[in-house]
PDB file of all heavy atoms in Angstrom:
ATOM      1  N   PHE A  72      -2.813   1.747 -15.041  1.00 97.00           N
ATOM      2  CA  PHE A  72      -3.527   0.480 -14.908  1.00 97.00           C
ATOM      3  C   PHE A  72      -2.692  -0.735 -15.429  1.00 97.00           C
ATOM      4  O   PHE A  72      -2.476  -1.668 -14.663  1.00 97.00           O
ATOM      5  CB  PHE A  72      -4.856   0.551 -15.714  1.00 97.00           C
ATOM      6  CG  PHE A  72      -5.639  -0.673 -15.674  1.00 97.00           C
ATOM      7  CD1 PHE A  72      -6.417  -0.986 -14.592  1.00 97.00           C
ATOM      8  CD2 PHE A  72      -5.516  -1.680 -16.678  1.00 97.00           C
ATOM      9  CE1 PHE A  72      -7.159  -2.168 -14.519  1.00 97.00           C
ATOM     10  CE2 PHE A  72      -6.195  -2.876 -16.619  1.00 97.00           C
ATOM     11  CZ  PHE A  72      -7.044  -3.135 -15.556  1.00 97.00           C
ATOM     12  N   TRP A  73      -2.195  -0.635 -16.623  1.00 97.00           N
ATOM     13  CA  TRP A  73      -1.570  -1.812 -17.264  1.00 97.00           C
ATOM     14  C   TRP A  73      -0.213  -2.118 -16.527  1.00 97.00           C
ATOM     15  O   TRP A  73       0.022  -3.253 -16.223  1.00 97.00           O
ATOM     16  CB  TRP A  73      -1.247  -1.661 -18.719  1.00 97.00           C
ATOM     17  CG  TRP A  73      -2.596  -1.609 -19.505  1.00 97.00           C
ATOM     18  CD1 TRP A  73      -3.173  -0.636 -20.162  1.00 97.00           C
ATOM     19  CD2 TRP A  73      -3.454  -2.840 -19.651  1.00 97.00           C
ATOM     20  NE1 TRP A  73      -4.373  -1.011 -20.714  1.00 97.00           N
ATOM     21  CE2 TRP A  73      -4.556  -2.308 -20.411  1.00 97.00           C
ATOM     22  CE3 TRP A  73      -3.412  -4.106 -19.227  1.00 97.00           C
ATOM     23  CZ2 TRP A  73      -5.576  -3.194 -20.782  1.00 97.00           C
ATOM     24  CZ3 TRP A  73      -4.498  -4.944 -19.562  1.00 97.00           C
ATOM     25  CH2 TRP A  73      -5.544  -4.529 -20.325  1.00 97.00           C
ATOM     26  N   GLN A  74       0.556  -1.119 -16.268  1.00 97.00           N
ATOM     27  CA  GLN A  74       1.873  -1.348 -15.535  1.00 97.00           C
ATOM     28  C   GLN A  74       1.640  -1.959 -14.163  1.00 97.00           C
ATOM     29  O   GLN A  74       2.245  -2.893 -13.816  1.00 97.00           O
ATOM     30  CB  GLN A  74       2.687  -0.091 -15.479  1.00 97.00           C
ATOM     31  CG  GLN A  74       4.073  -0.319 -14.917  1.00 97.00           C
ATOM     32  CD  GLN A  74       4.882   0.985 -14.954  1.00 97.00           C
ATOM     33  OE1 GLN A  74       4.514   2.000 -14.461  1.00 97.00           O
ATOM     34  NE2 GLN A  74       6.091   0.899 -15.563  1.00 97.00           N
ATOM     35  N   SER A  75       0.746  -1.326 -13.406  1.00 97.00           N
ATOM     36  CA  SER A  75       0.470  -1.795 -12.043  1.00 97.00           C
ATOM     37  C   SER A  75      -0.156  -3.214 -12.059  1.00 97.00           C
ATOM     38  O   SER A  75       0.138  -4.033 -11.165  1.00 97.00           O
ATOM     39  CB  SER A  75      -0.504  -0.823 -11.346  1.00 97.00           C
ATOM     40  OG  SER A  75       0.055   0.394 -11.194  1.00 97.00           O
ATOM     41  N   THR A  76      -1.000  -3.548 -13.035  1.00 97.00           N
ATOM     42  CA  THR A  76      -1.607  -4.821 -13.131  1.00 97.00           C
ATOM     43  C   THR A  76      -0.604  -5.883 -13.432  1.00 97.00           C
ATOM     44  O   THR A  76      -0.584  -6.974 -12.830  1.00 97.00           O
ATOM     45  CB  THR A  76      -2.717  -4.843 -14.126  1.00 97.00           C
ATOM     46  OG1 THR A  76      -3.681  -3.858 -13.820  1.00 97.00           O
ATOM     47  CG2 THR A  76      -3.379  -6.206 -14.246  1.00 97.00           C
ATOM     48  N   VAL A  77       0.330  -5.661 -14.352  1.00 97.00           N
ATOM     49  CA  VAL A  77       1.359  -6.567 -14.675  1.00 97.00           C
ATOM     50  C   VAL A  77       2.299  -6.848 -13.456  1.00 97.00           C
ATOM     51  O   VAL A  77       2.608  -7.985 -13.137  1.00 97.00           O
ATOM     52  CB  VAL A  77       2.202  -6.082 -15.877  1.00 97.00           C
ATOM     53  CG1 VAL A  77       3.493  -6.919 -16.069  1.00 97.00           C
ATOM     54  CG2 VAL A  77       1.356  -6.116 -17.177  1.00 97.00           C
ATOM     55  N   ILE A  78       2.637  -5.792 -12.779  1.00 97.00           N
ATOM     56  CA  ILE A  78       3.502  -5.932 -11.554  1.00 97.00           C
ATOM     57  C   ILE A  78       2.734  -6.733 -10.477  1.00 97.00           C
ATOM     58  O   ILE A  78       3.339  -7.664  -9.888  1.00 97.00           O
ATOM     59  CB  ILE A  78       3.887  -4.557 -11.049  1.00 97.00           C
ATOM     60  CG1 ILE A  78       4.841  -3.889 -12.068  1.00 97.00           C
ATOM     61  CG2 ILE A  78       4.554  -4.659  -9.707  1.00 97.00           C
ATOM     62  CD1 ILE A  78       5.157  -2.410 -11.651  1.00 97.00           C
ATOM     63  N   PHE A  79       1.485  -6.423 -10.299  1.00 97.00           N
ATOM     64  CA  PHE A  79       0.749  -7.156  -9.270  1.00 97.00           C
ATOM     65  C   PHE A  79       0.604  -8.606  -9.591  1.00 97.00           C
ATOM     66  O   PHE A  79       0.837  -9.473  -8.687  1.00 97.00           O
ATOM     67  CB  PHE A  79      -0.686  -6.524  -9.155  1.00 97.00           C
ATOM     68  CG  PHE A  79      -1.599  -7.379  -8.291  1.00 97.00           C
ATOM     69  CD1 PHE A  79      -1.410  -7.468  -6.949  1.00 97.00           C
ATOM     70  CD2 PHE A  79      -2.616  -8.109  -8.940  1.00 97.00           C
ATOM     71  CE1 PHE A  79      -2.261  -8.278  -6.207  1.00 97.00           C
ATOM     72  CE2 PHE A  79      -3.462  -8.900  -8.179  1.00 97.00           C
ATOM     73  CZ  PHE A  79      -3.329  -9.002  -6.826  1.00 97.00           C
ATOM     74  N   LEU A  80       0.277  -8.961 -10.845  1.00 97.00           N
ATOM     75  CA  LEU A  80       0.142 -10.342 -11.219  1.00 97.00           C
ATOM     76  C   LEU A  80       1.426 -11.145 -11.080  1.00 97.00           C
ATOM     77  O   LEU A  80       1.484 -12.319 -10.596  1.00 97.00           O
ATOM     78  CB  LEU A  80      -0.463 -10.482 -12.632  1.00 97.00           C
ATOM     79  CG  LEU A  80      -1.844  -9.988 -12.779  1.00 97.00           C
ATOM     80  CD1 LEU A  80      -2.286 -10.039 -14.297  1.00 97.00           C
ATOM     81  CD2 LEU A  80      -2.844 -10.788 -11.961  1.00 97.00           C
ATOM     82  N   ALA A  81       2.546 -10.502 -11.484  1.00 96.00           N
ATOM     83  CA  ALA A  81       3.839 -11.166 -11.310  1.00 96.00           C
ATOM     84  C   ALA A  81       4.174 -11.418  -9.879  1.00 96.00           C
ATOM     85  O   ALA A  81       4.612 -12.495  -9.494  1.00 96.00           O
ATOM     86  CB  ALA A  81       4.904 -10.320 -12.055  1.00 96.00           C
ATOM     87  N   LEU A  82       4.008 -10.404  -9.060  1.00 96.00           N
ATOM     88  CA  LEU A  82       4.327 -10.514  -7.606  1.00 96.00           C
ATOM     89  C   LEU A  82       3.431 -11.497  -6.947  1.00 96.00           C
ATOM     90  O   LEU A  82       3.862 -12.296  -6.066  1.00 96.00           O
ATOM     91  CB  LEU A  82       4.250  -9.097  -6.953  1.00 96.00           C
ATOM     92  CG  LEU A  82       5.364  -8.137  -7.321  1.00 96.00           C
ATOM     93  CD1 LEU A  82       5.091  -6.832  -6.701  1.00 96.00           C
ATOM     94  CD2 LEU A  82       6.758  -8.654  -6.942  1.00 96.00           C
ATOM     95  N   ALA A  83       2.157 -11.475  -7.338  1.00 95.00           N
ATOM     96  CA  ALA A  83       1.169 -12.439  -6.740  1.00 95.00           C
ATOM     97  C   ALA A  83       1.543 -13.863  -7.120  1.00 95.00           C
ATOM     98  O   ALA A  83       1.410 -14.786  -6.303  1.00 95.00           O
ATOM     99  CB  ALA A  83      -0.230 -12.144  -7.204  1.00 95.00           C
ATOM    100  N   LEU A  84       2.002 -14.086  -8.374  1.00 95.00           N
ATOM    101  CA  LEU A  84       2.350 -15.412  -8.828  1.00 95.00           C
ATOM    102  C   LEU A  84       3.598 -15.917  -8.053  1.00 95.00           C
ATOM    103  O   LEU A  84       3.607 -17.055  -7.490  1.00 95.00           O
ATOM    104  CB  LEU A  84       2.703 -15.398 -10.304  1.00 95.00           C
ATOM    105  CG  LEU A  84       3.183 -16.671 -10.949  1.00 95.00           C
ATOM    106  CD1 LEU A  84       2.097 -17.756 -10.846  1.00 95.00           C
ATOM    107  CD2 LEU A  84       3.555 -16.477 -12.388  1.00 95.00           C
ATOM    108  N   PHE A  85       4.647 -15.098  -7.972  1.00 93.00           N
ATOM    109  CA  PHE A  85       5.848 -15.463  -7.234  1.00 93.00           C
ATOM    110  C   PHE A  85       5.557 -15.639  -5.771  1.00 93.00           C
ATOM    111  O   PHE A  85       6.111 -16.489  -5.038  1.00 93.00           O
ATOM    112  CB  PHE A  85       6.974 -14.477  -7.492  1.00 93.00           C
ATOM    113  CG  PHE A  85       7.568 -14.573  -8.863  1.00 93.00           C
ATOM    114  CD1 PHE A  85       7.417 -13.683  -9.830  1.00 93.00           C
ATOM    115  CD2 PHE A  85       8.372 -15.742  -9.177  1.00 93.00           C
ATOM    116  CE1 PHE A  85       7.947 -13.805 -11.064  1.00 93.00           C
ATOM    117  CE2 PHE A  85       8.947 -15.825 -10.450  1.00 93.00           C
ATOM    118  CZ  PHE A  85       8.758 -14.924 -11.362  1.00 93.00           C
ATOM    119  N   GLY A  86       4.714 -14.700  -5.181  1.00 92.00           N
ATOM    120  CA  GLY A  86       4.431 -14.818  -3.757  1.00 92.00           C
ATOM    121  C   GLY A  86       3.633 -16.021  -3.413  1.00 92.00           C
ATOM    122  O   GLY A  86       3.861 -16.633  -2.445  1.00 92.00           O
ATOM    123  N   GLY A  87       2.644 -16.351  -4.291  1.00 91.00           N
ATOM    124  CA  GLY A  87       1.894 -17.592  -4.103  1.00 91.00           C
ATOM    125  C   GLY A  87       2.733 -18.834  -4.151  1.00 91.00           C
ATOM    126  O   GLY A  87       2.646 -19.758  -3.373  1.00 91.00           O
ATOM    127  N   ALA A  88       3.684 -18.880  -5.105  1.00 92.00           N
ATOM    128  CA  ALA A  88       4.623 -20.015  -5.270  1.00 92.00           C
ATOM    129  C   ALA A  88       5.476 -20.106  -4.044  1.00 92.00           C
ATOM    130  O   ALA A  88       5.768 -21.242  -3.583  1.00 92.00           O
ATOM    131  CB  ALA A  88       5.461 -19.822  -6.552  1.00 92.00           C
ATOM    132  N   SER A  89       5.922 -18.963  -3.481  1.00 89.00           N
ATOM    133  CA  SER A  89       6.805 -18.969  -2.349  1.00 89.00           C
ATOM    134  C   SER A  89       6.076 -19.471  -1.119  1.00 89.00           C
ATOM    135  O   SER A  89       6.579 -20.214  -0.274  1.00 89.00           O
ATOM    136  CB  SER A  89       7.332 -17.643  -2.086  1.00 89.00           C
ATOM    137  OG  SER A  89       8.209 -17.188  -3.119  1.00 89.00           O
ATOM    138  N   CYS A  90       4.763 -19.103  -0.946  1.00 88.00           N
ATOM    139  CA  CYS A  90       3.934 -19.599   0.116  1.00 88.00           C
ATOM    140  C   CYS A  90       3.819 -21.112   0.066  1.00 88.00           C
ATOM    141  O   CYS A  90       3.924 -21.815   1.116  1.00 88.00           O
ATOM    142  CB  CYS A  90       2.612 -18.951   0.091  1.00 88.00           C
ATOM    143  SG  CYS A  90       2.540 -17.207   0.642  1.00 88.00           S
ATOM    144  N   MET A  91       3.553 -21.607  -1.191  1.00 90.00           N
ATOM    145  CA  MET A  91       3.426 -23.089  -1.331  1.00 90.00           C
ATOM    146  C   MET A  91       4.748 -23.750  -0.969  1.00 90.00           C
ATOM    147  O   MET A  91       4.722 -24.826  -0.331  1.00 90.00           O
ATOM    148  CB  MET A  91       3.006 -23.391  -2.775  1.00 90.00           C
ATOM    149  CG  MET A  91       1.621 -22.978  -3.134  1.00 90.00           C
ATOM    150  SD  MET A  91       0.379 -23.798  -2.134  1.00 90.00           S
ATOM    151  CE  MET A  91       0.691 -25.504  -2.610  1.00 90.00           C
ATOM    152  N   ASN A  92       5.850 -23.184  -1.406  1.00 86.00           N
ATOM    153  CA  ASN A  92       7.137 -23.782  -1.071  1.00 86.00           C
ATOM    154  C   ASN A  92       7.427 -23.802   0.452  1.00 86.00           C
ATOM    155  O   ASN A  92       7.980 -24.766   0.937  1.00 86.00           O
ATOM    156  CB  ASN A  92       8.278 -23.018  -1.738  1.00 86.00           C
ATOM    157  CG  ASN A  92       8.357 -23.280  -3.248  1.00 86.00           C
ATOM    158  OD1 ASN A  92       7.841 -24.282  -3.679  1.00 86.00           O
ATOM    159  ND2 ASN A  92       8.856 -22.326  -3.990  1.00 86.00           N
ATOM    160  N   VAL A  93       7.015 -22.745   1.144  1.00 84.00           N
ATOM    161  CA  VAL A  93       7.165 -22.728   2.600  1.00 84.00           C
ATOM    162  C   VAL A  93       6.443 -23.883   3.247  1.00 84.00           C
ATOM    163  O   VAL A  93       6.930 -24.605   4.093  1.00 84.00           O
ATOM    164  CB  VAL A  93       6.753 -21.360   3.206  1.00 84.00           C
ATOM    165  CG1 VAL A  93       6.703 -21.428   4.715  1.00 84.00           C
ATOM    166  CG2 VAL A  93       7.656 -20.238   2.725  1.00 84.00           C
ATOM    167  N   LEU A  94       5.096 -24.029   2.805  1.00 84.00           N
ATOM    168  CA  LEU A  94       4.316 -25.090   3.341  1.00 84.00           C
ATOM    169  C   LEU A  94       4.921 -26.447   2.983  1.00 84.00           C
ATOM    170  O   LEU A  94       4.908 -27.377   3.869  1.00 84.00           O
ATOM    171  CB  LEU A  94       2.917 -24.957   2.782  1.00 84.00           C
ATOM    172  CG  LEU A  94       2.111 -23.723   3.224  1.00 84.00           C
ATOM    173  CD1 LEU A  94       0.775 -23.640   2.561  1.00 84.00           C
ATOM    174  CD2 LEU A  94       1.880 -23.694   4.747  1.00 84.00           C
ATOM    175  N   ILE A  95       5.345 -26.672   1.785  1.00 86.00           N
ATOM    176  CA  ILE A  95       5.824 -27.967   1.373  1.00 86.00           C
ATOM    177  C   ILE A  95       7.133 -28.288   2.049  1.00 86.00           C
ATOM    178  O   ILE A  95       7.321 -29.411   2.661  1.00 86.00           O
ATOM    179  CB  ILE A  95       6.008 -27.980  -0.145  1.00 86.00           C
ATOM    180  CG1 ILE A  95       4.687 -27.910  -0.851  1.00 86.00           C
ATOM    181  CG2 ILE A  95       6.803 -29.280  -0.565  1.00 86.00           C
ATOM    182  CD1 ILE A  95       4.809 -27.745  -2.385  1.00 86.00           C
ATOM    183  N   PHE A  96       8.094 -27.383   2.057  1.00 83.00           N
ATOM    184  CA  PHE A  96       9.413 -27.621   2.650  1.00 83.00           C
ATOM    185  C   PHE A  96       9.278 -27.715   4.186  1.00 83.00           C
ATOM    186  O   PHE A  96      10.103 -28.438   4.820  1.00 83.00           O
ATOM    187  CB  PHE A  96      10.385 -26.538   2.317  1.00 83.00           C
ATOM    188  CG  PHE A  96      10.674 -26.481   0.787  1.00 83.00           C
ATOM    189  CD1 PHE A  96      10.917 -25.266   0.265  1.00 83.00           C
ATOM    190  CD2 PHE A  96      10.774 -27.630   0.107  1.00 83.00           C
ATOM    191  CE1 PHE A  96      11.211 -25.175  -1.158  1.00 83.00           C
ATOM    192  CE2 PHE A  96      11.023 -27.499  -1.291  1.00 83.00           C
ATOM    193  CZ  PHE A  96      11.273 -26.360  -1.867  1.00 83.00           C
ATOM    194  N   SER A  97       8.353 -27.079   4.839  1.00 80.00           N
ATOM    195  CA  SER A  97       8.237 -27.177   6.316  1.00 80.00           C
ATOM    196  C   SER A  97       7.786 -28.544   6.726  1.00 80.00           C
ATOM    197  O   SER A  97       7.980 -28.923   7.901  1.00 80.00           O
ATOM    198  CB  SER A  97       7.256 -26.121   6.834  1.00 80.00           C
ATOM    199  OG  SER A  97       5.947 -26.383   6.339  1.00 80.00           O
TER     200      SER A  97
END
Side-chain angles (χ1 to χ4, degrees):
F72 179 83
W73 290 111
Q74 185 176 55
S75 297
T76 300
V77 169
I78 292 173
F79 168 73
L80 292 176
L82 291 173
L84 178 63
F85 285 109
S89 296
C90 285
M91 290 299 298
N92 286 336
V93 170
L94 293 176
I95 292 171
F96 294 145
S97 63

